[in-house]
Amino acid sequence: MAVPIAVLDCDLLLYGRGHRTLDRFKLEDVTDEYLVSTYGFPRQFIYYLVNLLGASLSRPTQRSRAISPETQILAALGFYTSGSFQTRMGDAIGISQASMSRCVANVTEALVERASQFIHFPEDEATVQSLKDDFYGLAGMPGVLGVVDCTHVAIKAPNAEDLSYVNRKGLHSLNCLMVCDARGVLLSAETHWPGSLPDCTVLQQAALTTQFETELHKDGWLLGDSSFFLRTWLMTPLHIPETPAEYRYNMAHSATHNVIERTFRTIRSRFRCLDGSKGTLQYSPEKSSHIILACCVLHNISLKHGLDVWSSPATGHMEQPEEEYEQMESMDLEACRIRQELLLTHFS
């Protein structure tokens, strides 16, 4: 006679059906210091996430014991901020390593679903003007709507034949295109580009370019470094400045553009799963892209909650590969005219 095979819950195998470990951890029973040191964020921030994501994380399940939204969020934060599925992390909240992995997947997708809610350019005139004023206050660069750059995040090799994710350092990575404001709030994040693509190609193919070329962003521009082409909506530095005005322009450009480098360092420092110190993200490119985007959403939410102290550089090795590029001077005469007018009007 055939013996039926039951599919067993990992937590059930470890603890037994009557075990109440899933309910033993309570946020109110531990200090903020413990929560910050273990999960990266204070109590009120975690409560906010429970309210924000609770409905998505409480979907019907056929498993015998669903893990609470609070526990799922703690598990995911523990992974994002530590970069590993440590046994002690699961033990602290009473779930297995396999359940930790499922929690990270659930929370990641819930955050990705809300990406457009937290990562977007302002639309009303007052907020756009405030955005420009904040940038102008940094180094006197007018009309700036955001600073743009790319950064690489290490991932495991998808397969031996696929070389599209191998970057200039010979490592597998995703090349992530991001834009931030003067405080480091992300206004755009495209995290899915293969690491083999140079920054200029990523921008050329990005939704960001379509957005700026088809929508009404005629009264300002982004700032990008010399790995990008000069465009009417993207001001780049001059390759060989000659006049005092050109030097002043380049200095103001560099000081303003530096905001996104600090933002990258902050994100890597806060979310150690991205900084390379724990190794590569052990997921497919698609899932790795979603984890990066989820961390970007959490970054913006944390700034919204006042957790905006600039962090020190991360210790990981996976920084953006140095680009070996020729100067990307534009043949766009209108873009050249706009930059020249900017030089004459504000830096002469």
Side-chain angles (χ1 to χ4, degrees):
M1 183 179 65
V3 177
I5 299 175
V7 178
L8 298 179
D9 185 337
C10 293
D11 292 314
L12 190 61
L13 284 171
L14 287 173
Y15 301 123
R17 185 173 300 277
H19 195 84
R20 302 302 298 168
T21 306
L22 293 182
D23 300 323
R24 76 178 184 187
F25 186 92
K26 300 295 183 182
L27 284 175
E28 58 268 23
D29 293 339
V30 296
T31 65
D32 259 5
E33 289 75 13
Y34 172 81
L35 292 172
V36 171
S37 65
T38 307
Y39 305 103
F41 294 96
R43 186 186 325 276
Q44 290 306 315
F45 183 87
I46 296 171
Y47 280 141
Y48 174 83
L49 292 181
V50 172
N51 291 330
L52 177 69
L53 307 178
S56 297
L57 300 178
S58 300
R59 291 166 178 162
T61 176
Q62 293 181 350
R63 296 177 61 229
S64 58
R65 297 183 303 157
I67 300 175
S68 70
E70 181 178 293
T71 300
Q72 292 184 62
I73 288 168
L74 289 172
L77 292 179
F79 169 72
Y80 297 147
T81 58
S82 73
S84 63
F85 292 121
Q86 297 178 13
T87 301
R88 65 174 180 83
M89 185 75 69
D91 288 345
I93 52 179
I95 62 175
S96 67
Q97 181 173 321
S99 292
M100 281 278 295
S101 181
R102 289 196 297 272
C103 291
V104 171
N106 292 342
V107 174
T108 295
E109 292 311 305
L111 288 168
V112 167
E113 288 172 0
R114 290 160 177 79
S116 61
Q117 177 183 346
F118 294 99
I119 303 176
H120 57 82
F121 284 91
E123 297 180 355
D124 63 282
E125 291 185 9
T127 307
V128 170
Q129 186 58 51
S130 177
L131 184 67
K132 294 180 184 179
D133 292 343
D134 289 344
F135 275 119
Y136 187 79
L138 294 179
M141 180 69 76
V144 180
L145 299 170
V147 290
V148 59
D149 207 348
C150 290
T151 188
H152 287 252
V153 175
I155 62 171
K156 73 173 183 179
N159 57 65
E161 293 76 26
D162 189 353
L163 300 180
S164 64
Y165 292 92
V166 179
N167 61 39
R168 300 186 73 94
K169 289 187 175 182
L171 304 173
H172 290 80
S173 67
L174 291 169
N175 195 3
C176 306
L177 179 73
M178 301 187 192
V179 180
C180 74
D181 70 9
R183 286 184 56 227
V185 175
L186 295 174
L187 306 175
S188 177
E190 299 184 35
T191 60
H192 62 283
W193 297 102
S196 65
L197 294 181
D199 294 358
C200 61
T201 303
V202 169
L203 181 61
Q204 183 179 1
Q205 299 178 8
L208 178 69
T209 292
T210 301
Q211 181 179 6
F212 268 79
E213 291 186 346
T214 60
E215 297 182 10
L216 296 178
H217 292 290
K218 309 301 182 183
D219 56 347
W221 39 73
L222 302 178
L223 296 188
D225 64 20
S226 296
S227 62
F228 300 117
F229 285 110
L230 177 71
R231 301 170 184 258
T232 57
W233 49 268
L234 178 65
M235 294 292 103
T236 59
L238 290 134
H239 181 37
I240 304 177
E242 297 177 347
T243 68
E246 290 175 346
Y247 276 102
R248 285 192 287 269
Y249 167 85
N250 271 14
M251 290 178 64
H253 187 291
S254 177
T256 307
H257 187 266
N258 185 55
V259 170
I260 197 160
E261 297 301 330
R262 293 200 294 165
T263 299
F264 288 156
R265 291 196 297 268
T266 296
I267 292 173
R268 291 180 184 279
S269 180
R270 176 168 280 162
F271 303 107
R272 304 305 290 271
C273 68
L274 308 181
D275 77 355
S277 65
K278 299 292 185 180
T280 62
L281 284 174
Q282 296 298 302
Y283 298 92
S284 68
E286 181 182 7
K287 289 184 178 179
S288 295
S289 170
H290 284 187
I291 287 172
I292 300 166
L293 185 56
C295 290
C296 290
V297 173
L298 287 173
H299 168 76
N300 274 11
I301 296 175
S302 69
L303 295 185
K304 177 181 177 182
H305 283 75
L307 307 176
D308 55 357
V309 177
W310 292 106
S311 301
S312 58
T315 57
H317 63 275
M318 192 56 197
E319 292 296 331
Q320 176 182 356
E322 295 180 4
E323 295 281 354
E324 297 177 7
Y325 52 77
E326 297 179 3
Q327 182 65 22
M328 309 299 271
E329 285 298 343
S330 176
M331 298 303 292
D332 187 333
L333 296 180
E334 178 63 12
C336 292
R337 185 195 66 77
I338 290 175
R339 185 170 66 179
Q340 189 61 31
E341 182 178 317
L342 180 59
L343 281 163
L344 294 173
T345 304
H346 292 280
F347 296 98
S348 296

